[in-house]
């Protein structure tokens, strides 16, 4: 049981807590009431704010829409005004640009093209929007006038600034490829840079806006004329140089067969020139005096033509480079084809004239003119790869012109070679044409000179002969085949010459002179072959040619030596009388000895007198033949003189013993010496 004090205390404690709880509850209740009141107030405020916003929105939205419409209207007005200004500007284009168009583009191309661009846009506007407008006709007319002015300016620039390339510059250009010492390339400036840029701009405008290709015709006509005149100027330069100096313009280093020129600018492009052509032409035709000038002219014509061919290649290359900057790409090949036609046709016509002249010369047996074909043909074939490259893309008729000329020259050259061989074979045996002293015949020297000339053109001559062959090996082994053909040809000429010389030798009544004649000619042929490369060419098909000629020479020496038998037979041991030493000679024996001395003396004197006028040009051979004959005669005469010189066969020994042994040798030493 709880004591009363504790129960009372507990009650008071519970009552205090209850009181506190009631106070708390009362506070909470008051707070809730205040909160409800605040909530009601906030709701009231928000409702009022919402109402006001609704009223504001209903007032602002119409204003905003009205403002937006006003802005759109303003923008439309501004655009309309801008379009009106733009359209109105087209109506002023004609008046704004008329003065510029009338004054032309000279010196103001940039401004002029700007005006033309404005006119072009005006034309397009009126065509699209007002095709019936009179303004369209105005700007169209102005555009056509401007286009014509640009075409005229293009022609004017090309005409005024396209200059003929000087011959000296062309020669430097040609020499540039071959001169290893050249430090800088020779370049051509056909048009000044500023002019070139103007021409290019006009060209592009005419193609893009002018819809006009006539300027391309203007271009190729002007440049074609300059190209043709440049090449003709080079040819005239050669003629003037040769006439002023009296010699051909392009001298060469003798005895050179390398394809190297002499010096700038007088060298022949691609190879040097051998002046033996001139000497050979004189020898082949047996013409001197006035014809020497003609031969010089032939040489000048040949040199000039060769240089003109090289000039065409270089200038055409340069023309294409210029054309590529000015003419649209898809028109370049056709324009270039037209551009080069006059110059190319001129070269081909001149080449055909050379062929025609050679053809006529063959009929006249004038082989000097035919010789001009060889260096020209060689140069054409050397230049053909460059030619083909330059003409790439041109018409087939243009590309085929050079091959056609080469074929013509090969054909006429081959005919010339064959006719020359036949001419050597059929040269008539005319007594008045035979050398009285038995020296080398003109026909022999002509033939050798001609063959030596072929050494400078071995490949060319071989190709000429091969071009006439139908054998398949001609194409399979062209180089070796051509060389064998040339060797065969040379052997044919030498064979024809040998047959003709044998025939000619029969004109001489004296067999000894005939032998000397053949000896001289065979010896000349052999020495000429040995001194040149001819012997190597001959050996390609005839290995024993050299030995054969030596045998022929020895045979003729032996034939000549037999002419002395009629002298030595008088004093030969087999024809002498036999007598006993110390026994007096009978009259018959004395007479025989006298006849032997007299026959020897008369024969010796007669032969020495006759053979003194004969000639053996080769010093070595002359000394050899003299020495051999001197040895034979001196030995025979010495033995005879020793045996009969002291025999009393006459009262006047000086009448019969006219010469000592050494005197006889001296007399023989003077044989073949017209100056003695």
């Amino acid at each position: 049981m709880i004591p009363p004090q504790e129960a009372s205390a507990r009650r008071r404690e519970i009552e205090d807590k209850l009181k506190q709880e009631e106070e708390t509850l009362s506070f909470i209740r008051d707070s809730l009431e205040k909160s409800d009141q605040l909530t009601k107030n906030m709701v009231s405020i928000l409702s009022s704010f919402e109402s006001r916003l609704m009223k504001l929105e209903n007032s602002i939205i119409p204003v905003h829409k009205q403002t937006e419409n006003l802005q759109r209207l303003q923008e439309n007005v501004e655009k309309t005004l801008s379009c009106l200004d733009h359209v109105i500007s087209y109506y002023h284009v004609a008046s704004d640009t008329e003065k510029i168009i009338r004054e032309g583009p000279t010196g103001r191309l940039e401004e002029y093209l700007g005006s033309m661009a404005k006119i072009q846009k005006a034309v397009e506007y009126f065509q699209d929007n007002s095709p019936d407008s009179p303004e369209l006709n105005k700007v169209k007319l102005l555009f056509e006038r401007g286009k014509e002015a640009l075409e005229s300016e293009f022609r004017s620039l090309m005409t005024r600034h396209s200059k003929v390339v000087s011959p000296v510059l062309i020669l430097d250009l040609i020499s540039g490829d071959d001169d290893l010492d050249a430090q800088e390339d020779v370049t051509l400036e056909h048009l000044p840079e500023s002019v070139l840029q103007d021409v290019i701009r006009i060209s592009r405008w005419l193609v893009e806006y002018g819809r006009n290709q006539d300027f391309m015709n203007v271009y190729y006509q002007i440049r074609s004329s300059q190209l043709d005149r440049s090449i003709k100027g080079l040819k005239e330069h050669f003629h003037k140089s040769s006439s002023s100096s009296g010699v051909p313009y392009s001298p060469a280093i003798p005895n050179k067969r390398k394809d190297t020129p002499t010096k700038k600018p007088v060298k022949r492009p691609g190879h040097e020139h051998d002046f033996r052509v001139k000497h050979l032409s004189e020898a082949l035709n047996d013409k001197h005096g006035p014809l020497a000038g003609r031969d010089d002219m032939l040489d000048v014509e040949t040199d000039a033509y060769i240089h003109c061919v090289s000039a065409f290649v270089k200038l055409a290359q340069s023309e294409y480079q210029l054309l590529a900057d000015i003419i649209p790409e898809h028109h370049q090949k056709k324009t270039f084809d037209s551009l080069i036609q006059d110059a190319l046709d001129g070269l081909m016509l001149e080449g055909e004239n050379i062929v025609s002249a050679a053809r006529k010369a063959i009929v006249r047996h004038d082989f000097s003119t035919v010789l001009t074909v060889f260096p020209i043909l060689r140069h054409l074939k050397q230049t053909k790869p460059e030619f083909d490259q330059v003409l790439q893309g041109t018409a087939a008729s243009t590309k085929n012109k050079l091959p056609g000329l080469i074929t013509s020259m090969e054909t006429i050259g081959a005919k010339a070679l064959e006719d020359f061989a036949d001419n050597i074979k059929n040269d008539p045996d005319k007594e008045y044409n035979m050398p009285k002293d038995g020296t080398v015949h003109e026909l022999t020297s002509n033939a050798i000179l001609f063959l030596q000339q072929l050494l400078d053109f071995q490949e060319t001559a071989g190709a000429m002969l091969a071009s006439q062959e139908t054998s398949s090996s001609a194409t399979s082994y062209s180089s070796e085949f051509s060389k064998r053909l040339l060797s065969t040809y040379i052997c044919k000429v030498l064979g024809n010459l040998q047959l003709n010389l044998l025939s000619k030798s029969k004109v001489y009544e004296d067999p000894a002179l005939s032998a000397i004649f053949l000896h001289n000619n065979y010896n000349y042929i052999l020495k000429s072959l040995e001194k040149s490369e001819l012997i190597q060419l001959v050996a390609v098909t005839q290995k024993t040619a050299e030995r054969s000629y030596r045998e022929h020479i020895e045979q003729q020496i032996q034939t000549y030596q037999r002419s002395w038998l009629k002298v030595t037979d008088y004093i030969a041991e087999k024809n002498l009388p036999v007598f006993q030493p110390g026994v007096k000679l009978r009259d018959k024996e004395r007479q025989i000895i006298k006849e032997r001395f007299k026959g020897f003396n008369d024969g010796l004197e007669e032969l020495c007198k006759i053979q003194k006028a004969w000639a053996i040009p080769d010093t070595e051979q002359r000394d050899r033949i003299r020495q051999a004959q001197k040895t034979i005669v001196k030995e025979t005469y010495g033995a005879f003189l020793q045996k009969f010189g002291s025999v009393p066969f006459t009262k006047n020994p000086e009448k019969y013993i006219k010469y000592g042994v050494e005197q006889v040798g001296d007399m023989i030493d003077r044989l073949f010496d017209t100056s003695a």
Side-chain angles (χ1 to χ4, degrees), residues 163-276:
K163 305 297 183 184
V164 173
V165 183
S166 71
V168 173
L169 186 56
I170 294 176
L171 289 170
D172 286 341
L173 187 67
I174 295 171
S175 304
D177 287 347
D178 299 322
D179 191 353
L180 300 178
D181 298 328
Q183 296 298 314
E184 57 183 21
D185 294 332
V186 179
T187 57
L188 295 179
E189 185 184 73
H190 294 290
L191 298 172
E193 184 60 28
S194 60
V195 174
L196 175 60
Q197 294 306 317
D198 285 351
V199 168
I200 292 173
R201 293 206 63 186
I202 294 174
S203 166
R204 290 176 179 172
W205 189 93
L206 289 173
V207 171
E208 185 173 356
Y209 302 108
R211 304 291 189 270
N212 189 326
Q213 297 181 7
D214 291 343
F215 77 95
M216 299 181 198
N217 296 332
V218 171
Y219 177 86
Y220 91 70
Q221 289 168 2
I222 293 173
R223 294 308 307 170
S224 175
S225 175
Q226 300 305 321
L227 175 62
D228 192 39
R229 289 169 60 194
S230 296
I231 293 175
K232 288 178 178 176
L234 178 63
K235 183 178 180 181
E236 291 173 4
H237 177 70
F238 272 81
H239 291 163
K240 289 178 182 178
S241 298
S242 64
S243 61
S244 62
S245 61
V247 295
Y249 179 80
S250 180
I253 301 174
N255 300 323
K256 282 185 68 179
R257 295 195 175 87
K258 300 282 187 183
D259 286 347
T260 54
T262 56
K263 59 179 180 177
K264 277 196 313 188
V266 296
K267 65 186 179 181
R268 169 174 293 176
H271 63 87
E272 51 82 23
H273 181 63
D274 194 333
F275 262 100
R276 284 181 299 166

Side-chain angles (χ1 to χ4, degrees), residues 337-353:
D337 197 342
S338 301
L339 189 156
I340 62 173
Q341 284 303 314
D342 286 348
L344 181 59
D345 286 344
L347 283 178
M348 295 302 106
L349 177 61
E350 192 172 348
E352 290 297 339
N353 288 340

Side-chain angles (χ1 to χ4, degrees), residues 553-570:
I553 291 169
E554 291 302 319
Q555 288 174 2
Q556 299 310 318
I557 291 175
Q558 292 173 14
T559 301
Y560 162 74
Q561 288 176 340
R562 283 198 289 271
S563 69
W564 281 84
L565 289 177
K566 63 182 180 181
V567 177
T568 56
D569 276 355
Y570 280 105

Side-chain angles (χ1 to χ4, degrees), residues 220 227 312-313 316-317 319-320 323 329-342 344-345 384-403:
Y220 91 70
L227 175 62
F312 172 82
V313 173
Q317 289 173 341
E319 286 292 343
Y320 193 83
L323 176 143
E329 184 175 358
H330 55 286
H331 291 287
Q332 289 174 4
K333 296 295 184 182
K334 182 179 179 181
T335 305
F336 180 70
D337 197 342
S338 301
L339 189 156
I340 62 173
Q341 284 303 314
D342 286 348
L344 181 59
D345 286 344
K384 187 176 181 297
E386 287 185 274
F387 241 101
D388 292 342
Q389 186 176 6
V390 169
L391 301 183
Q392 189 177 13
T394 58
S397 58
T398 302
K399 294 177 183 176
N400 292 334
K401 287 180 179 179
L402 180 65

Side-chain angles (χ1 to χ4, degrees), residues 77 95 153 186 198 229 243 255 275 277 279 291 347 411 419 611-612 621 653 656:
V77 169
S95 58
E153 179 70 3
V186 179
D198 285 351
R229 289 169 60 194
S243 61
N255 300 323
F275 262 100
V277 172
H279 302 306
L291 274 183
L347 283 178
T411 302
D419 277 37
Q611 296 184 8
K612 176 185 175 183
Q621 286 291 314
Y656 297 97

